[in-house]
Amino acid sequence: MTYLYILLGGLLINNFIFQRFLGICPFLGVSKRVETAAGMSMAVIFVMTMASAVTWFFQHMLLVPFGVEYLQTIVFILVIATLVQFVEMVVLKTSPVLYQALGIYLPLITTNCAVLGVALINVVENYNLIESVVNGFASACGWSLAILLFAGIRERWEITDIPDVLKGFPIAFISTGLMSISFYGFQGLFQSLFK
């Protein structure tokens, strides 16, 4: 039951975009096309899931035993940067078109606060290894769900008559806010299920 709660929490209830407001920069930057959003989603799912596992090991096998928990943020960022470099090399070799489409946003996964946020949340919540990995995967899937839905909406804007004053970021912020409100409804649904 704990794993189901963590999974649904990361996917819908505590969605990083709509509830925690983490990872907004790549969310707005890469969501112009569904294809690019899907590529970024796969990269974020891999990095967040792996970062959750690797940072758990660093936290419990290195930082805590040696009493250097204050180095947590630096160590976690180094782990995330290493994983992102690996993903960047794989994407460049397997899909140069996707690599070009993602542009600067692929290396920016390193500074994506959602990736660092999930690692820190795992520590704060005192999750064990499996719970940390499930939380990382669920949170990444929630982030991916948000960006894919938003990319679908942004593609529809091209055939919609939007007033000039709302084009670009204003309509993006309004749409994101409305989507956030709709995701907020999941909290009440799952509160009744898990009582």
Side-chain angles (χ1 to χ4, degrees):
M1 188 59 105
T2 304
Y3 299 118
L4 180 62
Y5 184 73
I6 292 172
L7 189 64
L8 292 175
L11 188 62
L12 300 172
I13 300 168
N14 297 316
N15 186 286
F16 268 75
I17 296 292
F18 299 132
Q19 298 302 322
R20 297 188 189 267
F21 307 109
L22 296 172
I24 300 286
C25 176
F27 171 76
L28 292 173
V30 182
S31 59
K32 291 180 181 163
R33 296 269 176 253
V34 173
E35 295 82 20
T36 353
M40 182 64 131
S41 295
M42 289 185 289
V44 168
I45 288 171
F46 176 79
V47 170
M48 282 179 83
T49 305
M50 292 302 296
S52 294
V54 175
T55 56
W56 185 92
F57 277 108
F58 273 92
Q59 176 72 16
H60 292 88
M61 304 300 175
L62 183 69
L63 299 176
V64 172
F66 290 105
V68 290
E69 293 93 344
Y70 58 89
L71 294 174
Q72 185 179 72
T73 304
I74 295 168
V75 170
F76 288 4
I77 288 174
L78 289 172
V79 167
I80 292 164
T82 304
L83 290 170
V84 170
Q85 280 297 118
F86 175 72
V87 168
E88 195 172 356
M89 289 185 304
V90 169
V91 171
L92 179 61
K93 291 289 184 190
T94 58
S95 179
V97 175
L98 178 60
Y99 181 82
Q100 290 296 326
L102 292 175
I104 189 66
Y105 294 100
L106 187 57
L108 281 179
I109 295 174
T110 303
T111 58
N112 183 346
C113 54
V115 182
L116 180 60
V118 78
L120 294 173
I121 287 169
N122 290 338
V123 172
V124 169
E125 294 292 330
N126 201 24
Y127 287 149
N128 64 34
L129 176 61
I130 296 171
E131 290 170 341
S132 294
V133 171
V134 170
N135 185 47
F137 177 75
S139 298
C141 288
W143 190 90
S144 299
L145 174 66
I147 196 172
L148 289 170
L149 290 172
F150 193 60
I153 291 170
R154 287 184 81 169
E155 283 187 356
R156 304 242 343 158
W157 291 347
E158 293 178 6
I159 57 171
T160 305
D161 187 28
I162 298 172
D164 289 339
V165 82
L166 290 177
K167 286 184 179 175
F169 281 115
I171 193 71
F173 287 131
I174 291 168
S175 299
T176 303
L178 292 172
M179 292 173 76
S180 180
I181 291 169
S182 67
F183 269 70
Y184 189 71
F186 287 117
Q187 289 185 352
L189 173 69
F190 291 112
Q191 282 177 352
S192 62
L193 287 175
F194 288 108
K195 279 187 178 180

